[in-house]
Amino acid sequence: MEGFPKVRMRRLRRTSALRNMMFKARIHPSDLVQPIFVDENAKIPIPINSMPGCYRLPIEGVLKEVNEVLEAGVKAVILFGVPARKDEAGSAAFADDGVIQRAVSLIKREYGDEVVVITDVCLCEYTSHGHCGLLKGGMVDNDLTLETLGKIAVSHAQAGADIVAPSSMMDGQVRSIRSALDDAGFKDVAIMAYSAKYASCFYGPFREAANSAPQFGDRKSYQMAFGSPSEAMREIELDIMEGADIVMVKPALAYLDIISLARSMFNVPIAAYNVSGEYAMIKAAARMGWINEKAAIFEVLTAIKRAGADIIITYFAKEVNSWLNQT
Ligand code: PBG
């Protein structure tokens, strides 16, 4: 074996130009998706305590936000709604004049195809009990929920959504939504499926933001337990079979192995969701002066890309462009 001293790995690390040449997992702003919270009751942007720098915006406020996102070079947003009223059936989720439907129409009227509008299709923000599906006998009933998810997706498509993103982890949700969209004439509206979605403590800040914590129990009967990689691959495989155009792994940072495994097994675009708790951890440590915020964001987003994600949904999206990829 030759090796050292003929081989010297440090040769290619000598200058910043050389290091840049060797840096492969580059993030482009068009890989990123900015989440936006829209609050039907808000009159002004309401700061989210556990997510410094993030706000619940009034419906009209989305235009300014989308403008900032586009200025940053980011081309896609994912919308989450906080409705004025919740009920047992989550009916505000599919109302024609619902918070998301109104926000999407506003954005599309102003920006058209300049921006990709993705909508989260779920019930937890709209149900009084805070679960992602409809209840029957105190349990989340899978098949009962499917029709409602289809209705939500169609109402988002009618408002102008480009992509709907089912996140309730009901079995068969992608198939039901695909059929509902096709039957309503929306064959070109795509589905980004939250396929490998884990029951995770890292959603905590989001639930404060969207006011969507379950009022009893937890989400473990529908979201996955984090110990099993093969179950995630099965979820992804089924969603592809049911018609998902893009599959998602969520959260991202504690699940880089899942992203990487999915990348090696499937030939579909993979999205990863750098979730609220992952955002909050970096913001909190940076506030304490314990971590360099920009460096941390750059390192974790690069890791998610390197693991194999094509698309990264991240609350950092609109703030990173100017200094991204500065090695
Ligand atoms: C809706 C949904 C959640 C997130 C995205 N869609 C919350 C949950 O499942 O409890 C979490 C996103 C984040 O934490 O940033 N079901």
Side-chain angles (χ1 to χ4, degrees):
M1 281 299 279
E2 288 281 356
F4 182 83
K6 272 196 181 155
V7 179
R8 288 183 181 270
M9 298 304 286
R10 291 183 56 195
R11 276 180 203 127
L12 297 178
R13 296 177 196 150
R14 199 169 48 81
T15 67
S16 151
L18 277 167
R19 288 193 293 275
N20 261 314
M21 199 169 82
M22 303 316 294
F23 202 93
K24 292 305 166 203
R26 262 181 217 294
I27 299 155
H28 191 273
S30 61
D31 301 331
L32 305 178
V33 180
Q34 174 73 45
I36 299 178
F37 295 103
V38 199
D39 183 341
E40 200 169 9
N41 282 328
K43 299 274 179 287
I44 51 163
I46 303 170
I48 301 161
N49 236 334
S50 49
M51 300 176 71
C54 292
Y55 298 83
R56 285 150 65 147
L57 301 176
I59 294 177
E60 304 70 37
V62 295
L63 291 181
K64 183 164 167 280
E65 179 72 6
V66 170
N67 186 47
E68 283 175 23
V69 169
L70 290 171
E71 301 250 291
V74 173
K75 304 291 183 204
V77 294
I78 181 164
L79 300 183
F80 297 97
V82 185
R85 264 163 285 99
K86 301 179 188 239
D87 58 26
E88 186 83 1
S91 48
F94 50 84
D96 286 339
D97 61 350
V99 55
I100 289 299
Q101 291 76 0
R102 286 164 63 196
V104 171
S105 330
L106 262 185
I107 295 170
K108 280 296 172 182
R109 205 174 311 145
E110 186 74 19
Y111 295 101
D113 288 341
E114 235 186 293
V115 60
V116 176
V117 174
I118 308 170
T119 55
D120 187 77
V121 175
C122 197
L123 278 164
C124 58
E125 294 122 271
Y126 302 90
T127 47
S128 41
H129 45 78
H131 277 290
C132 301
L134 300 177
L135 301 184
K136 197 169 163 184
M139 300 285 284
V140 175
D141 191 277
N142 193 85
D143 299 12
L144 191 63
T145 305
L146 294 178
E147 194 192 328
T148 302
L149 293 176
K151 274 202 319 212
I152 301 172
V154 168
S155 76
H156 291 176
Q158 263 155 359
D162 299 289
I163 302 178
V164 294
S167 71
S168 74
M169 287 299 279
M170 295 299 119
D171 288 323
Q173 62 179 4
V174 173
R175 181 185 300 264
S176 299
I177 288 173
R178 186 69 271 159
S179 308
L181 287 171
D182 290 351
D183 291 349
F186 295 108
K187 65 176 174 21
D188 288 330
V189 169
I191 299 177
M192 174 192 274
Y194 285 74
S195 306
K197 179 172 177 179
Y198 287 91
S200 167
C201 74
F202 292 107
Y203 308 151
F206 175 97
R207 291 178 190 169
E208 181 207 327
N211 187 18
S212 65
Q215 297 305 300
F216 66 90
D218 53 38
R219 304 209 197 292
K220 289 181 181 162
S221 77
Y222 40 102
Q223 299 181 349
M224 274 188 299
F226 46 72
S228 158
S230 55
E231 191 180 350
M233 295 311 110
R234 191 138 186 248
E235 285 279 7
I236 292 173
E237 189 177 13
L238 288 166
D239 280 358
I240 295 170
M241 269 165 35
E242 292 180 21
D245 301 281
I246 301 167
V247 296
M248 192 199 298
V249 175
K250 176 185 172 205
L253 288 181
Y255 299 86
L256 293 174
D257 58 327
I258 304 296
I259 298 173
S260 163
L261 196 56
R263 171 77 294 147
S264 67
M265 288 180 62
F266 303 107
N267 187 21
V268 292
I270 295 174
Y273 201 141
N274 176 216
V275 299
S276 57
E278 299 172 339
Y279 175 86
M281 282 197 295
I282 289 184
K283 287 285 175 185
R287 279 196 165 184
M288 295 297 285
W290 291 344
I291 202 168
N292 176 326
E293 180 170 347
K294 286 183 179 179
I297 296 169
F298 179 36
E299 195 169 327
V300 301
L301 294 182
T302 302
I304 297 168
K305 184 86 199 244
R306 191 185 63 227
D310 302 291
I311 299 163
I312 306 174
I313 303 172
T314 175
Y315 301 94
F316 296 117
K318 69 173 184 177
E319 65 175 274
V320 296
N321 186 22
S322 56
W323 44 270
L324 209 56
N325 297 329
Q326 287 174 7
T327 43

